[in-house]
Amino acid sequence: MNACELEIDLQCLGLRVDPSCTLEADARSFSRTRAGLGSGLELVIPGDRKAIWVNAPVVEPFAKNSPWLLRKDDAGYRLVHTTLGESHPVRIPPEPRWYRARTKAGTEMSRVGVLQGTYLGIYIEETCAFWKNDLQCHFCTSGLNVGTAEEARKTVEDVVETARAAKEESGVTFVHFNSGFQGEKDIDGIGPFVKALKEQVGVLVGVQMTPSKHLWKYQWLKDLGVDHLSFCYEFHNPEYFAKYLPGKQKTFGQETFYAAMEHTARLWGPGRVSGEIIAGIEPLPDTMAAIDHIVSVGAFPTVCIFRPLHGAKMQDVPAPNPDAMRGVFRHVAEACRAAGLPVGMAPNVEVSLVVQPDDALELLDAWDPRTWLYRAKLHAMKAAAGTLLRKAMAPHPVAAPAVPVKPEDTAA
Ligand code: SF4
């Protein structure tokens, strides 16, 4: 298996931990924050082209039957396939010191945000309103995490201090904000956080929220300097969308997600906006159609392998088959290659929760002229994007207001 194939295997099967491992001393603690996907063990698989970060399921029951066993010896950590005998060295990233540091207000920083790979993930706002009405997405556990494993409300000051520590001590370049459904409160309330990070810390910022029908607000987010947007519409098949996402079905419907994704993909340009879906639940042709649709509008596909999280309504649904998932990610890579999408442009943004399109390029035939042409193009685009990204990662004043102002209101 190459590094990406192993990443997919681990996401689907999880791993067991041999008693030789000393994870309490060596690893990041398991933290179930946000929607809960980061509840596993963070590890890094060395690869020929790039190292791949994975959050491997460990605590969920299905991981107890995994053929993958993590062992430690004098040479370090190694993953061993107990049936095939195949083994791979892996690196276990240590827990950053700032996790246990406190902000001036006394908040432990790991309760503000956590590393999920190499980026800092922060859930903004209170518990998702869908959870309060038993309309939560069936795969999600955010209602069990926000306010328990993490602070119920994050302040701008706490976020700035945590992001600064993460940048200085862990080299973080990207902060990703998400939020459950809050009406329009989430999008309207994100401004002060983005503005403060841009002005006081200097990092790339991503925003993942339920879609707004007020499309003019996205121009405001762009003016604030938001670098990336993602829209989690999860399922392409309308029946699966309605069945497993009752809150999203009742409040938005798929069309609102499509409209916001298409609008913002045009506004931000290719490769800056993502459509996020879950693979392993709906029929594979629907997943493939979702990937094609996302790429056709200039967005890139962020595909999560379904993980049956303890406490989610779908906790007893089996995790998907790795062979089927390899086909899905090969399709991701082929679709991005065919569209010439810029993927993997931002420096040091490795996401452990999903197989990134950049990771999935490992699944393509490296000798196919289309693959090496695409890789050469990506290399050139990354070099060209470097100056712009360096500018975006330096603290700078932001002229846009911290709250949204409708264009005609300004004119008036
Ligand atoms: S919108 Fe769905 S996935 Fe997001 S926090 Fe709410 S219930 Fe969870």
Side-chain angles (χ1 to χ4, degrees):
M1 282 185 204
N2 66 30
C4 181
E5 289 167 330
L6 177 56
E7 176 185 28
I8 293 169
D9 237 48
L10 290 173
Q11 297 270 10
C12 294
L13 304 174
L15 61 80
R16 291 176 290 125
V17 179
D18 186 74
S20 58
C21 301
T22 49
L23 297 179
E24 296 79 13
D26 299 337
R28 295 177 184 172
S29 51
F30 300 166
S31 69
R32 201 169 81 156
T33 57
R34 314 178 96 199
L37 265 189
S39 57
L41 175 68
E42 295 269 305
L43 56 85
V44 186
I45 307 167
D48 294 338
R49 194 174 55 89
K50 63 175 289 208
I52 289 187
W53 289 68
V54 191
N55 186 283
V58 176
V59 296
E60 287 80 15
F62 70 92
K64 308 276 181 292
N65 301 318
S66 174
W68 289 105
L69 182 67
L70 182 70
R71 284 195 185 131
K72 186 183 182 186
D73 59 23
D74 292 344
Y77 281 93
R78 179 165 284 278
L79 275 168
V80 180
H81 195 292
T82 47
T83 323
L84 302 176
E86 181 171 339
S87 93
H88 299 264
V90 290
R91 185 167 73 76
I92 305 292
E95 182 159 287
R97 273 182 311 168
W98 60 263
Y99 262 32
R100 302 297 152 221
R102 289 185 182 272
T103 64
K104 289 193 189 85
T107 314
E108 195 172 74
M109 290 188 179
S110 64
R111 290 180 58 80
V112 177
V114 290
L115 298 180
Q116 295 181 322
T118 61
Y119 75 92
L120 180 67
I122 301 179
Y123 181 100
I124 293 295
E125 278 297 341
E126 57 196 52
T127 302
C128 173
F130 294 152
W131 273 83
K132 296 174 189 164
N133 300 296
D134 198 31
L135 288 171
Q136 69 265 35
C137 306
H138 286 198
F139 59 87
C140 172
T141 65
S142 80
L144 308 175
N145 309 331
V146 176
T148 51
E150 58 182 302
E151 292 299 293
R153 294 294 293 262
K154 281 80 176 177
T155 65
V156 172
E157 294 74 21
D158 279 357
V159 165
V160 165
E161 287 177 53
T162 303
R164 187 179 290 125
K167 180 179 179 179
E168 288 172 1
E169 295 178 33
S170 300
V172 160
T173 56
F174 178 60
V175 176
H176 185 248
F177 289 117
N178 75 331
S179 162
F181 174 59
Q182 316 284 346
E184 289 287 308
K185 215 166 63 165
D186 47 356
I187 191 166
D188 292 355
I190 195 68
F193 292 95
V194 177
K195 197 170 166 82
L197 287 191
K198 290 287 175 186
E199 292 185 337
Q200 299 176 47
V201 183
V203 277
L204 302 174
V205 173
V207 170
Q208 181 184 86
M209 285 170 178
T210 47
S212 175
K213 289 178 181 164
H214 306 287
L215 294 178
W216 59 266
K217 289 186 183 175
Y218 291 111
Q219 180 63 54
W220 165 68
L221 287 184
K222 188 161 189 282
D223 294 342
L224 275 172
V226 168
D227 301 280
H228 163 69
L229 285 177
S230 48
F231 296 98
C232 303
Y233 82 96
E234 324 293 10
F235 300 118
H236 201 70
N237 183 310
E239 285 173 26
Y240 283 72
F241 185 94
K243 179 177 174 187
Y244 292 116
L245 317 172
K248 289 181 178 177
Q249 169 73 10
K250 189 171 176 208
T251 316
F252 306 107
Q254 278 176 313
E255 290 310 317
T256 310
F257 281 89
Y258 293 150
M261 184 170 72
E262 287 175 36
H263 175 76
T264 55
R266 272 196 305 274
L267 202 55
W268 263 261
R272 302 277 300 275
V273 170
S274 75
E276 198 156 319
I277 53 166
I278 297 175
I281 298 297
E282 65 181 342
L284 283 179
D286 291 316
T287 304
M288 305 304 197
I291 293 164
D292 292 340
H293 175 71
I294 292 166
V295 171
S296 75
V297 301
F300 67 89
T302 302
V303 183
C304 297
I305 293 177
F306 170 67
R307 187 182 299 195
L309 295 167
H310 179 65
K313 289 194 173 186
M314 296 173 88
Q315 65 174 2
D316 296 321
V317 175
N321 173 292
D323 288 334
M325 292 302 103
R326 275 193 271 281
V328 167
F329 287 101
R330 199 169 299 116
H331 191 68
V332 167
E334 286 167 351
C336 291
R337 182 183 66 186
L341 268 189
V343 296
M345 294 293 109
N348 192 36
V349 182
E350 299 297 339
V351 181
S352 61
L353 309 186
V354 299
V355 178
Q356 294 173 278
D358 193 26
D359 300 349
L361 299 186
E362 298 297 317
L363 302 174
L364 296 175
D365 175 5
W367 296 103
D368 184 330
R370 291 171 301 176
T371 304
W372 55 258
L373 264 176
Y374 181 44
R375 284 187 177 166
K377 183 179 169 188
L378 290 179
H379 191 72
M381 285 194 283
K382 194 165 181 172
T387 314
L388 272 177
L389 289 169
R390 271 193 297 280
K391 212 170 147 199
M393 287 189 293
H396 57 271
V398 173
V403 290
V405 181
K406 210 174 170 186
E408 53 266 35
D409 295 348
T410 315

mmCIF file of all heavy atoms in Angstrom, residues 270-298:
data_model
loop_
_atom_site.group_PDB
_atom_site.id
_atom_site.type_symbol
_atom_site.label_atom_id
_atom_site.label_comp_id
_atom_site.label_asym_id
_atom_site.label_seq_id
_atom_site.Cartn_x
_atom_site.Cartn_y
_atom_site.Cartn_z
ATOM 1 N N PRO A 270 -11.244 29.261 -8.702
ATOM 2 C CA PRO A 270 -11.098 27.807 -8.632
ATOM 3 C C PRO A 270 -10.244 27.353 -7.441
ATOM 4 O O PRO A 270 -9.231 27.972 -7.110
ATOM 5 C CB PRO A 270 -10.385 27.456 -9.948
ATOM 6 C CG PRO A 270 -10.567 28.628 -10.827
ATOM 7 C CD PRO A 270 -10.752 29.824 -9.952
ATOM 8 N N GLY A 271 -10.696 26.274 -6.821
ATOM 9 C CA GLY A 271 -9.893 25.630 -5.782
ATOM 10 C C GLY A 271 -9.918 26.311 -4.429
ATOM 11 O O GLY A 271 -9.181 25.924 -3.523
ATOM 12 N N ARG A 272 -10.753 27.325 -4.241
ATOM 13 C CA ARG A 272 -10.767 28.046 -2.952
ATOM 14 C C ARG A 272 -11.979 27.659 -2.097
ATOM 15 O O ARG A 272 -12.005 27.927 -0.901
ATOM 16 C CB ARG A 272 -10.805 29.560 -3.212
ATOM 17 C CG ARG A 272 -9.648 30.091 -4.052
ATOM 18 C CD ARG A 272 -8.417 30.352 -3.209
ATOM 19 N NE ARG A 272 -8.632 31.328 -2.163
ATOM 20 C CZ ARG A 272 -8.548 32.648 -2.318
ATOM 21 N NH1 ARG A 272 -8.258 33.148 -3.505
ATOM 22 N NH2 ARG A 272 -8.743 33.461 -1.293
ATOM 23 N N VAL A 273 -12.978 27.063 -2.747
ATOM 24 C CA VAL A 273 -14.227 26.705 -2.055
ATOM 25 C C VAL A 273 -14.376 25.189 -2.158
ATOM 26 O O VAL A 273 -14.022 24.603 -3.169
ATOM 27 C CB VAL A 273 -15.425 27.420 -2.738
ATOM 28 C CG1 VAL A 273 -16.754 26.900 -2.230
ATOM 29 C CG2 VAL A 273 -15.314 28.926 -2.529
ATOM 30 N N SER A 274 -14.868 24.570 -1.090
ATOM 31 C CA SER A 274 -15.058 23.125 -1.211
ATOM 32 C C SER A 274 -16.493 22.723 -0.909
ATOM 33 O O SER A 274 -17.191 23.370 -0.121
ATOM 34 C CB SER A 274 -14.076 22.357 -0.320
ATOM 35 O OG SER A 274 -14.456 22.430 1.019
ATOM 36 N N GLY A 275 -16.896 21.651 -1.559
ATOM 37 C CA GLY A 275 -18.160 20.998 -1.258
ATOM 38 C C GLY A 275 -17.804 19.764 -0.456
ATOM 39 O O GLY A 275 -16.939 18.979 -0.867
ATOM 40 N N GLU A 276 -18.416 19.621 0.697
ATOM 41 C CA GLU A 276 -18.021 18.524 1.578
ATOM 42 C C GLU A 276 -19.108 17.453 1.600
ATOM 43 O O GLU A 276 -20.287 17.760 1.812
ATOM 44 C CB GLU A 276 -17.769 19.081 2.984
ATOM 45 C CG GLU A 276 -16.951 18.143 3.826
ATOM 46 C CD GLU A 276 -16.217 18.865 4.960
ATOM 47 O OE1 GLU A 276 -15.693 19.971 4.737
ATOM 48 O OE2 GLU A 276 -16.173 18.286 6.057
ATOM 49 N N ILE A 277 -18.695 16.221 1.359
ATOM 50 C CA ILE A 277 -19.658 15.110 1.333
ATOM 51 C C ILE A 277 -19.126 13.937 2.159
ATOM 52 O O ILE A 277 -17.937 13.879 2.478
ATOM 53 C CB ILE A 277 -19.934 14.637 -0.116
ATOM 54 C CG1 ILE A 277 -18.617 14.311 -0.835
ATOM 55 C CG2 ILE A 277 -20.729 15.663 -0.891
ATOM 56 C CD1 ILE A 277 -18.803 13.530 -2.121
ATOM 57 N N ILE A 278 -20.031 13.016 2.465
ATOM 58 C CA ILE A 278 -19.670 11.804 3.208
ATOM 59 C C ILE A 278 -19.773 10.619 2.255
ATOM 60 O O ILE A 278 -20.786 10.446 1.582
ATOM 61 C CB ILE A 278 -20.625 11.592 4.396
ATOM 62 C CG1 ILE A 278 -20.489 12.756 5.385
ATOM 63 C CG2 ILE A 278 -20.335 10.271 5.098
ATOM 64 C CD1 ILE A 278 -21.476 12.695 6.531
ATOM 65 N N ALA A 279 -18.708 9.821 2.222
ATOM 66 C CA ALA A 279 -18.717 8.617 1.380
ATOM 67 C C ALA A 279 -18.911 7.389 2.257
ATOM 68 O O ALA A 279 -18.397 7.333 3.378
ATOM 69 C CB ALA A 279 -17.407 8.509 0.612
ATOM 70 N N GLY A 280 -19.656 6.427 1.730
ATOM 71 C CA GLY A 280 -19.820 5.183 2.468
ATOM 72 C C GLY A 280 -21.237 4.943 2.942
ATOM 73 O O GLY A 280 -21.508 3.920 3.572
ATOM 74 N N ILE A 281 -22.132 5.884 2.649
ATOM 75 C CA ILE A 281 -23.530 5.713 3.057
ATOM 76 C C ILE A 281 -24.437 5.657 1.830
ATOM 77 O O ILE A 281 -25.136 4.674 1.615
ATOM 78 C CB ILE A 281 -23.984 6.861 3.999
ATOM 79 C CG1 ILE A 281 -23.146 6.856 5.276
ATOM 80 C CG2 ILE A 281 -25.469 6.724 4.336
ATOM 81 C CD1 ILE A 281 -23.301 5.610 6.120
ATOM 82 N N GLU A 282 -24.425 6.699 1.030
ATOM 83 C CA GLU A 282 -25.295 6.683 -0.155
ATOM 84 C C GLU A 282 -24.648 5.797 -1.231
ATOM 85 O O GLU A 282 -23.447 5.495 -1.151
ATOM 86 C CB GLU A 282 -25.541 8.107 -0.673
ATOM 87 C CG GLU A 282 -24.334 8.829 -1.199
ATOM 88 C CD GLU A 282 -24.649 10.256 -1.675
ATOM 89 O OE1 GLU A 282 -25.820 10.577 -1.911
ATOM 90 O OE2 GLU A 282 -23.691 11.047 -1.822
ATOM 91 N N PRO A 283 -25.429 5.358 -2.226
ATOM 92 C CA PRO A 283 -24.843 4.514 -3.278
ATOM 93 C C PRO A 283 -23.646 5.203 -3.935
ATOM 94 O O PRO A 283 -23.637 6.430 -4.106
ATOM 95 C CB PRO A 283 -26.005 4.338 -4.273
ATOM 96 C CG PRO A 283 -27.241 4.549 -3.448
ATOM 97 C CD PRO A 283 -26.875 5.576 -2.418
ATOM 98 N N LEU A 284 -22.638 4.399 -4.301
ATOM 99 C CA LEU A 284 -21.406 4.980 -4.852
ATOM 100 C C LEU A 284 -21.639 5.870 -6.079
ATOM 101 O O LEU A 284 -20.996 6.920 -6.195
ATOM 102 C CB LEU A 284 -20.408 3.874 -5.198
ATOM 103 C CG LEU A 284 -19.671 3.273 -3.997
ATOM 104 C CD1 LEU A 284 -18.738 2.168 -4.464
ATOM 105 C CD2 LEU A 284 -18.890 4.335 -3.232
ATOM 106 N N PRO A 285 -22.554 5.504 -7.002
ATOM 107 C CA PRO A 285 -22.769 6.402 -8.151
ATOM 108 C C PRO A 285 -23.196 7.806 -7.714
ATOM 109 O O PRO A 285 -22.853 8.802 -8.367
ATOM 110 C CB PRO A 285 -23.882 5.702 -8.952
ATOM 111 C CG PRO A 285 -23.739 4.258 -8.590
ATOM 112 C CD PRO A 285 -23.311 4.241 -7.153
ATOM 113 N N ASP A 286 -23.926 7.910 -6.603
ATOM 114 C CA ASP A 286 -24.319 9.239 -6.114
ATOM 115 C C ASP A 286 -23.096 10.000 -5.592
ATOM 116 O O ASP A 286 -22.974 11.213 -5.782
ATOM 117 C CB ASP A 286 -25.361 9.108 -4.999
ATOM 118 C CG ASP A 286 -26.693 8.605 -5.531
ATOM 119 O OD1 ASP A 286 -27.119 9.097 -6.588
ATOM 120 O OD2 ASP A 286 -27.287 7.716 -4.902
ATOM 121 N N THR A 287 -22.203 9.273 -4.914
ATOM 122 C CA THR A 287 -20.975 9.926 -4.419
ATOM 123 C C THR A 287 -20.134 10.428 -5.595
ATOM 124 O O THR A 287 -19.600 11.534 -5.570
ATOM 125 C CB THR A 287 -20.160 8.924 -3.563
ATOM 126 O OG1 THR A 287 -21.009 8.453 -2.517
ATOM 127 C CG2 THR A 287 -18.930 9.571 -2.979
ATOM 128 N N MET A 288 -20.049 9.597 -6.632
ATOM 129 C CA MET A 288 -19.286 9.998 -7.828
ATOM 130 C C MET A 288 -19.940 11.223 -8.490
ATOM 131 O O MET A 288 -19.259 12.152 -8.938
ATOM 132 C CB MET A 288 -19.204 8.846 -8.842
ATOM 133 C CG MET A 288 -18.636 7.550 -8.288
ATOM 134 S SD MET A 288 -16.992 7.743 -7.563
ATOM 135 C CE MET A 288 -16.444 6.035 -7.509
ATOM 136 N N ALA A 289 -21.277 11.215 -8.514
ATOM 137 C CA ALA A 289 -21.993 12.353 -9.116
ATOM 138 C C ALA A 289 -21.756 13.621 -8.292
ATOM 139 O O ALA A 289 -21.630 14.725 -8.854
ATOM 140 C CB ALA A 289 -23.490 12.046 -9.207
ATOM 141 N N ALA A 290 -21.686 13.474 -6.978
ATOM 142 C CA ALA A 290 -21.415 14.632 -6.115
ATOM 143 C C ALA A 290 -20.044 15.212 -6.437
ATOM 144 O O ALA A 290 -19.883 16.433 -6.578
ATOM 145 C CB ALA A 290 -21.478 14.214 -4.639
ATOM 146 N N ILE A 291 -19.062 14.341 -6.565
ATOM 147 C CA ILE A 291 -17.695 14.792 -6.872
ATOM 148 C C ILE A 291 -17.694 15.548 -8.207
ATOM 149 O O ILE A 291 -17.122 16.634 -8.320
ATOM 150 C CB ILE A 291 -16.735 13.575 -6.905
ATOM 151 C CG1 ILE A 291 -16.610 12.984 -5.497
ATOM 152 C CG2 ILE A 291 -15.376 13.958 -7.482
ATOM 153 C CD1 ILE A 291 -16.011 11.583 -5.457
ATOM 154 N N ASP A 292 -18.361 14.971 -9.199
ATOM 155 C CA ASP A 292 -18.400 15.613 -10.529
ATOM 156 C C ASP A 292 -19.096 16.968 -10.449
ATOM 157 O O ASP A 292 -18.657 17.942 -11.074
ATOM 158 C CB ASP A 292 -19.131 14.712 -11.535
ATOM 159 C CG ASP A 292 -18.335 13.444 -11.832
ATOM 160 O OD1 ASP A 292 -17.110 13.445 -11.588
ATOM 161 O OD2 ASP A 292 -18.954 12.465 -12.286
ATOM 162 N N HIS A 293 -20.176 17.025 -9.675
ATOM 163 C CA HIS A 293 -20.912 18.290 -9.582
ATOM 164 C C HIS A 293 -20.049 19.369 -8.914
ATOM 165 O O HIS A 293 -19.971 20.502 -9.396
ATOM 166 C CB HIS A 293 -22.215 18.110 -8.813
ATOM 167 C CG HIS A 293 -22.926 19.406 -8.585
ATOM 168 N ND1 HIS A 293 -23.532 20.095 -9.611
ATOM 169 C CD2 HIS A 293 -23.050 20.183 -7.479
ATOM 170 C CE1 HIS A 293 -24.031 21.225 -9.152
ATOM 171 N NE2 HIS A 293 -23.754 21.305 -7.845
ATOM 172 N N ILE A 294 -19.416 18.990 -7.826
ATOM 173 C CA ILE A 294 -18.598 19.966 -7.081
ATOM 174 C C ILE A 294 -17.489 20.507 -7.988
ATOM 175 O O ILE A 294 -17.259 21.716 -8.063
ATOM 176 C CB ILE A 294 -18.015 19.303 -5.810
ATOM 177 C CG1 ILE A 294 -19.139 18.986 -4.817
ATOM 178 C CG2 ILE A 294 -16.958 20.181 -5.160
ATOM 179 C CD1 ILE A 294 -18.747 18.039 -3.692
ATOM 180 N N VAL A 295 -16.818 19.595 -8.674
ATOM 181 C CA VAL A 295 -15.712 20.027 -9.537
ATOM 182 C C VAL A 295 -16.235 20.874 -10.704
ATOM 183 O O VAL A 295 -15.600 21.848 -11.114
ATOM 184 C CB VAL A 295 -14.910 18.796 -10.033
ATOM 185 C CG1 VAL A 295 -13.903 19.194 -11.106
ATOM 186 C CG2 VAL A 295 -14.189 18.127 -8.857
ATOM 187 N N SER A 296 -17.438 20.536 -11.197
ATOM 188 C CA SER A 296 -17.969 21.264 -12.366
ATOM 189 C C SER A 296 -18.229 22.738 -12.056
ATOM 190 O O SER A 296 -18.254 23.571 -12.963
ATOM 191 C CB SER A 296 -19.264 20.602 -12.865
ATOM 192 O OG SER A 296 -20.335 20.908 -11.989
ATOM 193 N N VAL A 297 -18.432 23.083 -10.784
ATOM 194 C CA VAL A 297 -18.678 24.496 -10.472
ATOM 195 C C VAL A 297 -17.392 25.207 -10.029
ATOM 196 O O VAL A 297 -17.418 26.364 -9.622
ATOM 197 C CB VAL A 297 -19.787 24.678 -9.393
ATOM 198 C CG1 VAL A 297 -21.084 24.055 -9.847
ATOM 199 C CG2 VAL A 297 -19.373 24.135 -8.032
ATOM 200 N N GLY A 298 -16.257 24.494 -10.085
ATOM 201 C CA GLY A 298 -14.969 25.133 -9.744
ATOM 202 C C GLY A 298 -14.589 24.982 -8.288
ATOM 203 O O GLY A 298 -13.603 25.549 -7.834
#
